[in-house]
């Protein structure tokens, strides 16, 4: 395999557009903001940095794309392209969700 060959993207449109279209389909309006965060891999010390240790990490060319809009009522509604439906909860209730464990990481960040 020749390492000099460029990789081909199989996507027909940018992921940013996918995030906007997904948001419009699930929530019925255009998102106010669109953001992306780079992915990374850890070669050594996975989660060791949280415990005072060292890690060897590297950023990669993959991203998480999010389309978001603010609400003023204290309610949060989340949708993922990996799961059906919309998960809703109040900002005052950040207890883990057994029925939708994929939102628990987000709830943990909000605490």
């Amino acid at each position: 395999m020749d390492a000099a060959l460029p990789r081909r993207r199989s996507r027909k449109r940018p992921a940013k557009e996918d995030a906007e279209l997904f948001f419009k389909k699930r929530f019925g309006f255009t998102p106010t903001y669109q953001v992306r965060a780079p992915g990374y891999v850890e070669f050594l010390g996975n989660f060791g940095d949280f415990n005072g240790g060292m890690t060897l990490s590297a950023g990669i060319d993959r991203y998480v794309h999010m389309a978001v809009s603010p609400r003023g009522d204290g309610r949060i509604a989340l949708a993922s392209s990996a799961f059906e439906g919309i998960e809703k909860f109040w900002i005052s209730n950040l207890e883990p969700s057994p029925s939708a464990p994929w939102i628990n990481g987000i709830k943990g960040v909000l605490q």
Side-chain angles (χ1 to χ4, degrees), residues 31-108:
T32 305
Y33 304 103
Q34 292 187 59
V35 296
R36 74 177 186 169
Y40 70 97
V41 294
E42 290 184 342
F43 299 105
L44 298 171
N46 191 13
F47 295 107
D49 53 337
F50 298 122
N51 298 310
M54 297 186 340
T55 64
L56 176 59
S57 302
I60 59 173
D61 64 344
R62 300 288 185 261
Y63 298 86
V64 173
H65 291 261
M66 293 177 62
V68 299
S69 287
R71 293 176 61 131
D73 61 359
R75 189 120 165 118
I76 296 176
L78 300 173
S80 168
S81 61
F83 300 96
E84 292 293 322
I86 297 173
E87 297 297 327
K88 298 177 184 178
F89 59 92
W90 295 100
I91 191 70
S92 60
N93 181 13
L94 299 176
E95 295 298 318
S97 302
S99 63
W102 67 271
I103 67 173
N104 291 336
I106 297 165
K107 285 183 169 185

